[in-house]
Amino acid sequence: MVKDLSHLLSEESKGRQPSPLKSAFKYYGKEDIVFLGGGLPLADYFPWEKIVAYSPEPPFEDGIGAQPSVTGKATVSELHKHKVEEFDIPLARSLQYGHTQGNPELVDFLKEHTKMVHNVPYDEWDLCLTIGNTQSWEACIRSFCNPGDSILIEEYTFPSAVETARNLGVNFVPIRMDAFGIIPSALAELLEQRKELYELACKYDFVIIEDEPYYFLQMTEYESGKEEEIKTPSHEEFLKSLVKSFISMDTEGRVLRLDSFSKVLAPGTRVGWIVGQSALLERFVRLHEVSIQAPSGFSQSIVQALLGRWGQSGYVDWLIALRKEYSIKRDFTIRCLEKYMPKEVVSWTPPIAGMFFTIVLDASKHPDFATKYDSDPLKVEDAVYEHGLKDGCLMIPGSWFVAPNRKNTPGNTFFYRGTYAAVPLDTLGVGLERFAKAVKSEFGL
Amino acid sequence: MVKDLSHLLSEESKGRQPSPLKSAFKYYGKEDIVFLGGGLPLADYFPWEKIVAYSPEPPFEDGIGAQPSVTGKATVSELHKHKVEEFDIPLARSLQYGHTQGNPELVDFLKEHTKMVHNVPYDEWDLCLTIGNTQSWEACIRSFCNPGDSILIEEYTFPSAVETARNLGVNFVPIRMDAFGIIPSALAELLEQRKELYELACKYDFVIIEDEPYYFLQMTEYESGKEEEIKTPSHEEFLKSLVKSFISMDTEGRVLRLDSFSKVLAPGTRVGWIVGQSALLERFVRLHEVSIQAPSGFSQSIVQALLGRWGQSGYVDWLIALRKEYSIKRDFTIRCLEKYMPKEVVSWTPPIAGMFFTIVLDASKHPDFATKYDSDPLKVEDAVYEHGLKDGCLMIPGSWFVAPNRKNTPGNTFFYRGTYAAVPLDTLGVGLERFAKAVKSEFGL
């Protein structure tokens, strides 16, 4: 039963009125009305008559990095000012004002996709496009937090997300996570955590912001010593294998799910979307009317042209192929760690999702820990970071992810976060060997 | 002499820190560093290999609405993942994270354009891309206004701009304007107003937000009875004819100029830019890092591909041709008003800039003013609006533009704002005839 949660909105969001001009806009494009209402330039004056985009073609047997000019198999999106394909967003519309929520063709595609993947357990949900999850998150903070309000965050978290909220007078309350929190290591455990948290949200009446751009980068668990070829699952197997999202268990309509094309198509699309109960999403549309208006029309037209041609099925093919690439890179990373890292100092848990891995170091194993580093593990963390940089590999110190107000825990371990996303395999291997060398050298091994 | 204006920043803006992760980003792309720092997907996995856009070709002798497929003269922008033309933004970069301020090729083009048009009278200025002027304005409010701060606004203003600020605890102080303020009617007068206001800003230490997306739609003054062909000025004549902007007289660095492609290329590009002193613009970059990140990479690449191929000179050709189209429409509008409107009730001043015109009505000429309408001009305004809609023409009632806290002035006049932008000439004529009919019918003429 969807709850009325309007009492949780911020003062800023509660009071926002639609612009009176918007009430006139319902007459725009009506055949019997000459619309002299708003400063909408004629589409005749948009200096783009046609845009053609060349993309790979499902089912991507040659991998998602294979270029159509090499394989000869291309999805060609030909976009015109006026509508040609039923599923296309014509440039005359996407490059015009309007459709703050997003053009209906793309919104509909994403709704169908959301139904298929998350099966939202209530009817009154809606979907609104954004400029990506950073902006979605900013909109959430501004929509739900008055100065003095508190947000619960993981004790290790994305520093930019903290920075968004820090100056708005919000209190941060970090929650303890296991296994350094930021890298899930077992699906079953993750699901249990989620169920528990959702129950708490219902009991204590808070909203959950589910910021999950990496959702489709879930892999099978890593098996040491196995170097078999990664299997391509069927669509059904793939969808079934995904961990249940918060929104999929959201019977009360108190989850806002933030999704994005940044990790699965390209960050520069600057297209994300929020899924949640309609009454709350209406407030986001009001905010967007007086801020971003809508994502780029080029982005909407070009992305939807591709998705329309691929279809839901082709898009799932893409996601499966993408997951395969990241699985290969994850497996390669772990094998490199096994090969290069000194196990007496470094440990790790193979990740099952996302673009990142962590390595945990024990500072007390450093011969000069008590002397040179005053028994402060963060000083060792910094020294190894700098040494890594000098040797030519950058990994991010774990302390950079510490949430505000987190209490220090006794212990001598610290960690680094690395990614297997940003470089090709061979470079990844070189980098990990370099970082291992830096660790060994620092620890006198 | 540029002043330090950091004391005018809001608390939210003052305290904003760069994300620590950004400090690692300076190592991204360095040859001797393997970057395992951030979740940047490989460009190999962006499913767009090539994008080709077809646009009209300068100097646009056939008008800006002429399609290249008809004229045979096209500017063809071929964009690849990796750089081909020196001035292009390759897709591998524009579709990646980074460049919050905007990709350098587009930023540089716009800086050169700004120098040519505004000749900013100090050196320490910079330029930052935005998602268009609505978002720029929102960013300005959030960057300069604490709750309880006041902004001076024109007594008739854009309601969406008010709505952006309304719920942030800002006070509105309307300033009286002549000739209904919103439509400039004489260049010399406008310039005098601007000089005076700039002096006040220096004296009383406030910033001026110059929100001027219509800047290039400045026309020569309308001459009644003359139906000569509109001349195409030289670039020099054109640039010299433009009214001086606030930023062009900004010796102290207290103007933030908001510009946009929305009115001159297309609203759906969702690309605008702010020009102002570097120290203030740095704060906007920090805000964008934790909100919009940057405008769409498709938009940046496609717009810059066009501007790069046109060059500064071709872009000025476009602006001149655009102005010509709007001059034709403005002239046509005024001739329609002269032809259709009952002069005993309706008056107007031909606009010299923008997409809009106003007609002023005298409610006291209505035979039932004192009886049916209780001597309230706004009731007549509403009746004519509804009558216009019924007859098939929409113009916006002037009362919709009234700024908050504006004191009512005695008098029986009211106005409507119309645009000649949104429809082609023949439809415009039909609409104005319909609205005139509605006025006559309401006033019993």
Side-chain angles (χ1 to χ4, degrees), chain B residues 79-137:
Chain B
L79 280 159
H80 296 259
K81 266 198 187 165
H82 301 285
K83 199 145 179 143
V84 179
E85 298 288 346
E86 187 55 38
F87 49 72
D88 276 338
I89 310 169
L91 296 172
R93 171 145 50 79
S94 68
L95 294 181
Q96 189 54 278
Y97 287 111
H99 296 288
T100 303
Q101 193 177 347
N103 279 279
E105 294 85 350
L106 182 51
V107 169
D108 288 349
F109 186 96
L110 290 172
K111 278 186 175 172
E112 203 182 322
H113 169 77
T114 301
K115 267 183 212 158
M116 185 171 69
V117 177
H118 302 289
N119 193 22
V120 186
Y122 63 94
D123 291 331
E124 308 88 331
W125 61 273
D126 209 345
L127 189 150
C128 167
L129 298 193
T130 71
I131 307 289
N133 285 26
T134 310
Q135 185 260 317
S136 303
W137 170 241

Side-chain angles (χ1 to χ4, degrees), chain A residues 22-210:
Chain A
K22 300 278 170 187
S23 71
F25 266 74
K26 64 172 180 273
Y27 297 105
Y28 178 71
K30 289 220 167 164
E31 220 169 78
D32 51 344
I33 296 272
V34 175
F35 182 83
L36 308 182
L40 289 80
L42 286 180
D44 292 350
Y45 302 165
F46 301 163
W48 291 282
E49 194 199 356
K50 189 173 79 174
I51 287 175
V52 188
Y54 298 82
S55 304
E57 174 85 354
F60 316 106
E61 303 102 329
D62 305 312
I64 58 165
Q67 299 193 341
S69 58
V70 177
T71 61
K73 286 180 290 182
T75 295
V76 180
S77 306
E78 197 167 300
L79 279 159
H80 295 260
K81 267 200 185 162
H82 300 286
K83 198 143 178 146
V84 178
E85 297 288 347
E86 186 56 38
F87 49 70
D88 276 339
I89 311 169
L91 295 172
R93 170 144 52 80
S94 69
L95 294 181
Q96 188 54 277
Y97 289 111
H99 296 287
T100 302
Q101 193 177 346
N103 278 280
E105 294 85 351
L106 182 52
V107 169
D108 288 350
F109 187 98
L110 290 172
K111 278 186 175 172
E112 204 182 321
H113 168 78
T114 301
K115 267 182 212 159
M116 185 171 72
V117 177
H118 302 289
N119 192 21
V120 186
Y122 63 95
D123 291 331
E124 308 87 331
W125 61 273
D126 208 345
L127 188 150
C128 167
L129 298 193
T130 72
I131 308 289
N133 285 24
T134 310
Q135 185 261 319
S136 302
W137 169 242
E138 186 212 15
C140 285
I141 295 289
R142 299 204 189 268
S143 299
F144 288 107
C145 295
N146 290 320
D149 284 356
S150 295
I151 55 177
L152 303 165
I153 50 172
E154 291 156 299
E155 63 175 344
Y156 290 97
T157 194
F158 183 45
S160 300
V162 170
E163 215 40 63
T164 301
R166 193 198 291 274
N167 296 308
L168 306 178
V170 171
N171 298 322
F172 298 97
V173 182
I175 320 178
R176 176 115 322 166
M177 308 295 293
D178 44 8
F180 287 106
I182 57 171
I183 313 290
S185 56
L187 277 183
E189 205 177 297
L190 190 62
L191 182 58
E192 274 319 304
Q193 275 179 17
R194 290 189 171 187
K195 280 182 178 162
E196 237 174 276
L197 196 54
Y198 186 74
E199 280 167 28
L200 289 172
C202 295
K203 189 169 171 192
Y204 294 102
D205 193 25
F206 55 82
V207 290
I208 293 178
I209 311 296
E210 175 169 50

Side-chain angles (χ1 to χ4, degrees), chain A residues 255-445:
Chain A
V255 176
L256 286 154
R257 181 174 172 84
L258 316 187
D259 258 309
S260 165
F261 289 124
S262 289
K263 308 299 182 187
V264 295
L265 297 181
T269 61
R270 296 284 84 221
V271 178
W273 59 98
I274 308 181
V275 177
Q277 63 156 293
S278 308
L280 295 177
L281 282 197
E282 183 269 347
R283 294 285 88 195
F284 284 86
V285 175
R286 291 288 90 74
L287 169 60
H288 289 177
E289 279 174 358
V290 294
S291 54
I292 58 158
Q293 299 226 23
S296 152
F298 286 124
S299 288
Q300 290 191 59
S301 273
I302 292 172
V303 167
Q304 171 58 19
L306 183 63
L307 295 177
R309 280 159 185 79
W310 281 359
Q312 295 289 346
S313 167
Y315 185 45
V316 173
D317 282 333
W318 176 262
L319 296 170
I320 289 173
L322 187 75
R323 184 175 94 139
K324 185 174 176 177
E325 296 287 336
Y326 283 105
S327 297
I328 291 169
K329 293 183 104 177
R330 189 266 321 256
D331 289 359
F332 179 80
T333 299
I334 302 303
R335 284 199 301 274
C336 285
L337 295 178
E338 289 170 350
K339 188 167 161 192
Y340 300 126
M341 287 293 168
K343 281 165 212 67
E344 54 274 47
V345 174
V346 185
S347 64
W348 57 86
T349 310
I352 50 143
M355 292 180 165
F356 302 104
F357 62 97
T358 50
I359 54 172
V360 183
L361 278 73
D362 186 345
S364 69
K365 302 277 170 67
H366 197 292
D368 307 325
F369 183 48
T371 52
K372 190 173 166 196
Y373 296 111
D374 311 323
S375 298
D376 181 352
L378 292 188
K379 287 186 181 164
V380 188
E381 184 195 73
D382 195 49
V384 175
Y385 170 70
E386 292 294 342
H387 203 127
L389 266 181
K390 200 163 56 71
D391 284 359
C393 180
L394 183 143
M395 303 249 291
I396 306 284
S399 63
W400 294 15
F401 300 97
V402 172
N405 304 326
R406 176 177 173 273
K407 286 196 192 69
N408 271 331
T409 40
N412 292 321
T413 58
F414 59 95
F415 74 98
Y416 297 95
R417 190 197 75 171
T419 180
Y420 36 84
V423 293
L425 276 194
D426 49 348
T427 317
L428 183 58
V430 171
L432 289 169
E433 188 172 4
R434 285 180 185 172
F435 203 83
K437 192 171 145 264
V439 172
K440 284 182 204 157
S441 160
E442 269 297 318
F443 279 75
L445 297 169

Side-chain angles (χ1 to χ4, degrees), chain B residues 189-207:
Chain B
E189 207 176 297
L190 190 63
L191 182 58
E192 274 319 304
Q193 274 179 18
R194 289 190 171 185
K195 281 182 178 162
E196 237 173 275
L197 197 54
Y198 186 73
E199 280 167 28
L200 289 172
C202 296
K203 189 170 171 190
Y204 294 103
D205 192 26
F206 56 82
V207 290

Side-chain angles (χ1 to χ4, degrees), chain B residues 252-309:
Chain B
E252 298 195 346
R254 57 174 70 249
V255 175
L256 287 153
R257 182 175 171 84
L258 316 186
D259 258 309
S260 166
F261 288 125
S262 290
K263 308 299 182 185
V264 295
L265 296 181
T269 60
R270 296 286 82 221
V271 178
W273 59 98
I274 307 181
V275 177
Q277 62 155 296
S278 307
L280 295 178
L281 283 196
E282 184 269 348
R283 293 285 89 193
F284 285 86
V285 174
R286 291 289 90 73
L287 170 60
H288 289 177
E289 278 174 359
V290 295
S291 54
I292 58 159
Q293 300 225 22
S296 152
F298 287 125
S299 288
Q300 290 191 58
S301 274
I302 292 172
V303 167
Q304 170 58 19
L306 184 63
L307 294 177
R309 278 160 185 78

